Amino acid sequence: MNEASNEATKLFSAVAAAYARHRITYPAAFFDLFLGRLISNPLVWDCGCGSGQAAIDLATAGARVIATDASAAQLAAARPHPQISYQLADACSSGLDSASVDGVLVAAAVHWFAGDAFNTEVRRVCKSGAVVAWIGYLPLRLADQRLQSSLDAFHSVTLAPWWPAERRWVEQSFAGLAFPAEEWQFPAGLWIERHWTLDELIAHIGTWSAVQRSREAGSDPLPNLQAELESLWPEMGQAALLVRWPFMGRWGQL
């Protein structure tokens, strides 16, 4: 396990229960597109699965899933499903059989372990013609510009010292990372949408790696953010507002 992956395991193990409750899921339309590229009843490796958000979506859409993560705490918080096998494993040493999977999906995690070792493992476990997808999302957006400005400042100024260096790959939609397959154009125009109260939004923000790193250093940035947003949020934070994330990623075929 490399240094970045080891840090991610520690960070997200510490917030495993909150992560399972408050992390967002991904557009169903993408899973339909992804599985539409595979054989019927495919076996998909969900690598860096966390508490299983993408694995559940894959299984619900008809895939058999081997979902691995290096965090035992994250796996313990995952929701069971008859078509999912959760396994404790490092991304670069999965324990899967060679030429055994029809697809590989990495949801909001590849920036922690991308590189030659992971790409070699992907090529080892994939059958010929397997589809590989790295998915994620860009910073959230709100329609109210005052709220958006406060959140932008929190993300880019308050948390600036605490974002891991790997975060830059997310903010450029994983561009610049070596991709292990022949790449296709990623589907455009997909969004993740939720209607959340302020408390729900704050709970989600509490799962961010930069917030966890700040807390570990002795400073919790969320109370000040919540107080600031509460003064701007309709009904003192009780109204449910539309929160949107641009869905992004890379995909292709071996």
Side-chain angles (χ1 to χ4, degrees), residues 140-160:
L140 64 88
R141 299 182 186 177
L142 293 167
D144 187 300
Q145 289 306 304
R146 297 174 304 163
L147 289 170
Q148 187 66 54
S149 293
S150 292
L151 285 167
D152 288 346
F154 179 76
H155 182 281
S156 300
V157 180
T158 303
L159 295 183

Side-chain angles (χ1 to χ4, degrees), residues 1-222:
M1 184 183 299
N2 63 33
E3 184 176 346
S5 184
N6 186 56
E7 179 183 11
T9 299
K10 291 179 180 178
L11 287 172
F12 295 117
S13 292
V15 293
Y19 193 100
R21 289 194 300 270
H22 304 300
R23 293 297 275 197
I24 56 178
T25 53
Y26 306 93
F30 176 76
F31 292 102
D32 290 340
L33 291 170
F34 179 73
L35 294 182
R37 300 272 187 164
L38 305 181
I39 64 170
S40 61
N41 194 33
L43 179 63
V44 177
W45 176 26
D46 177 8
C47 179
C49 68
S51 47
Q53 285 83 359
I56 291 291
D57 286 337
L58 285 167
T60 301
R64 295 171 294 129
V65 184
I66 299 175
T68 66
D69 201 275
S71 167
Q74 287 271 36
L75 293 174
R79 179 157 59 96
H81 189 285
Q83 292 190 184
I84 302 174
S85 172
Y86 291 105
Q87 299 178 16
L88 183 66
D90 180 65
C92 300
S93 182
S94 67
L96 276 64
D97 291 339
S98 297
S100 62
V101 301
D102 303 294
V104 176
L105 183 86
V106 188
V110 76
H111 51 293
W112 294 110
F113 46 74
D116 291 343
F118 176 59
N119 287 348
T120 297
E121 183 69 352
V122 167
R123 295 186 186 105
R124 184 187 70 79
V125 304
C126 280
K127 298 176 183 177
S128 177
V131 176
V132 179
W134 301 347
I135 62 174
Y137 47 89
L138 299 175
L140 64 88
R141 299 182 186 177
L142 293 167
D144 187 300
Q145 289 306 304
R146 297 174 304 163
L147 289 170
Q148 187 66 54
S149 293
S150 292
L151 285 167
D152 288 346
F154 179 76
H155 182 281
S156 300
V157 180
T158 303
L159 295 183
W162 304 111
W163 284 115
E166 291 77 17
R167 174 71 190 178
R168 72 186 187 277
W169 300 117
V170 177
E171 295 181 354
Q172 58 197 48
S173 301
F174 307 133
L177 293 173
F179 192 73
E182 182 178 347
E183 197 160 2
W184 299 322
Q185 182 174 353
F186 195 76
L190 295 179
W191 290 77
I192 299 166
E193 297 185 341
R194 297 290 184 272
H195 285 87
W196 276 352
T197 64
L198 177 57
D199 283 347
E200 290 172 315
L201 178 62
I202 291 294
H204 166 73
I205 292 173
T207 68
W208 291 0
S209 57
V211 171
Q212 182 61 16
R213 293 177 96 201
S214 180
R215 285 169 168 167
E216 289 182 350
S219 176
D220 187 347
L222 290 189

